[in-house]
């Protein structure tokens, strides 16, 4: 089977791969792709499975369990050895945050990709009530310089990088770690791509509704006070 790497569904799938997905070697020359999430991300998880089965023609395996902190988790994985050469030939990186160049030039692909990235590693923050601004933050384990440059081209806005170290806590475990993230604003210059190409593909309802409400609110005509 030849996967369709030019489809918006694949673009969304790759965005998830670059956030919560992983690819590993198994028994030397065998490879498998996997995704692990908590219960809150199940809509994204189910969409990833649906796209994987449709594009790659595989079934895969689903596992459920609990973390050390007693949180439920869901795992999905499938063998991808026969597809590795196709990814390489099409210059598609399964690791890291590198958007295929043909995505960058095509909003119908870069939009769904960013939806997958936001569903996986992103969060949305609305600033002050007096002059609301919507900030989207994408977390990473390293400084993603290539992604920063590509996002500036796609979204037509500046991308900020932040890095800070300190104590972190996961469940009952406390440790010292470094947090790295990029941050950008949803502004009139990129309302079109967010509204028409990113928003329709976001699977996590609480993220989709927050972004939708903000765009609709900013798109309303200003109120005129009559005195």
């Amino acid at each position: 089977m030849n996967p369709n790497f030019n489809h918006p569904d694949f673009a969304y799938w790759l965005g998830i791969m670059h956030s919560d997905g992983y690819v590993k070697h198994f028994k030397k020359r065998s490879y498998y792709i996997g995704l692990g999430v908590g219960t809150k991300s199940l809509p994204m998880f189910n969409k990833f499975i649906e796209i994987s089965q449709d594009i790659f023609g595989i079934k895969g395996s689903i596992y459920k369990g609990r973390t050390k902190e007693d949180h439920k988790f869901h795992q999905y994985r499938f063998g991808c050895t026969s597809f590795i050469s196709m990814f390489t030939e099409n210059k598609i990186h399964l690791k890291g945050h590198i958007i295929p160049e043909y995505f960058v030039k095509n909003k119908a692909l870069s939009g769904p990709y960013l939806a997958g990235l936001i569903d996986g590693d992103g969060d949305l923050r609305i600033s002050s009530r007096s002059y609301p601004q919507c900030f989207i933050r994408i977390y990473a384990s390293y400084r993603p310089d290539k992604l920063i440059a590509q996002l500036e081209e796609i979204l037509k806005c500046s991308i900020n990088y932040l890095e800070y170290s300190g104590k972190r806590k996961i469940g009952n475990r406390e440790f010292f770690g470094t947090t790295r993230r990029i941050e950008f604003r949803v502004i009139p210059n990129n309302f079109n791509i967010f509204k028409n190409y990113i928003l329709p593909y976001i699977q996590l309802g609480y993220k989709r509704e927050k972004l939708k409400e903000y765009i609709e609110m900013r798109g309303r005509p200003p109120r005129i006070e009559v005195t």
Side-chain angles (χ1 to χ4, degrees), residues 19 24 29 35 67 92 94 115 143-144 158 185-186 212:
S19 53
K24 290 187 177 181
R29 295 186 180 181
L35 175 68
T67 65
I92 294 170
L94 294 179
R143 179 176 176 134
S158 60
R185 288 191 300 145
V186 180
K212 180 181 178 182

Side-chain angles (χ1 to χ4, degrees), residues 3-94:
N4 183 359
F5 295 148
N6 291 290
H7 196 282
D9 279 351
F10 175 74
Y12 176 78
W13 181 93
L14 189 62
I16 296 174
M17 273 297 300
H18 286 175
S19 53
D20 286 340
Y22 58 88
V23 57
K24 290 187 177 181
H25 288 117
F26 180 69
K27 292 183 178 179
K28 295 184 179 179
R29 295 186 180 181
S30 295
Y31 295 81
Y32 67 84
I33 282 171
L35 175 68
V37 304
T39 301
K40 196 174 183 179
S41 296
L42 271 179
M44 177 189 79
F45 180 77
N46 292 332
K47 188 65 175 179
F48 184 86
I49 294 173
E50 177 188 324
I51 296 173
S52 298
Q53 293 175 343
D54 183 48
I55 289 181
F56 299 104
I58 47 80
K59 183 177 180 180
S61 302
I62 299 173
Y63 307 89
K64 298 179 183 180
R66 289 184 175 273
T67 65
K68 293 180 180 179
E69 291 78 27
D70 201 34
H71 299 304
K72 290 182 180 179
F73 71 85
H74 306 261
Q75 291 272 353
Y76 171 71
R77 70 182 189 184
F78 65 91
C80 65
T81 306
S82 59
F83 304 115
I84 291 297
S85 61
M86 296 182 192
F87 288 125
T88 303
E89 289 167 7
N90 287 275
K91 298 181 180 179
I92 294 170
H93 299 264
L94 294 179

Side-chain angles (χ1 to χ4, degrees), residues 128-145:
S128 66
R129 294 181 180 178
S130 58
Y131 185 72
Q133 297 184 74
C134 180
F135 293 86
I136 293 180
R137 300 178 289 193
I138 305 292
Y139 292 84
S141 58
Y142 62 98
R143 179 176 176 134
D145 290 315

Side-chain angles (χ1 to χ4, degrees), residues 169-183:
K169 191 172 183 180
I170 298 179
N172 297 321
R173 292 184 297 147
E174 188 174 78
F175 58 94
F176 188 87
T178 300
T179 299
R180 300 174 180 86
R181 74 169 189 254
I182 60 173
E183 184 176 274

Side-chain angles (χ1 to χ4, degrees), residues 181-196:
R181 74 169 189 254
I182 60 173
E183 184 176 274
F184 51 88
R185 288 191 300 145
V186 180
I187 58 176
N189 279 357
N190 54 42
F191 274 6
N192 177 64
I193 187 171
F194 274 102
K195 184 177 180 179
N196 297 315

Side-chain angles (χ1 to χ4, degrees), residues 215-225:
I215 292 174
E216 289 178 347
M217 179 268 295
R218 286 296 305 271
R220 297 189 193 112
R223 293 178 59 186
I224 300 176
E225 300 291 339

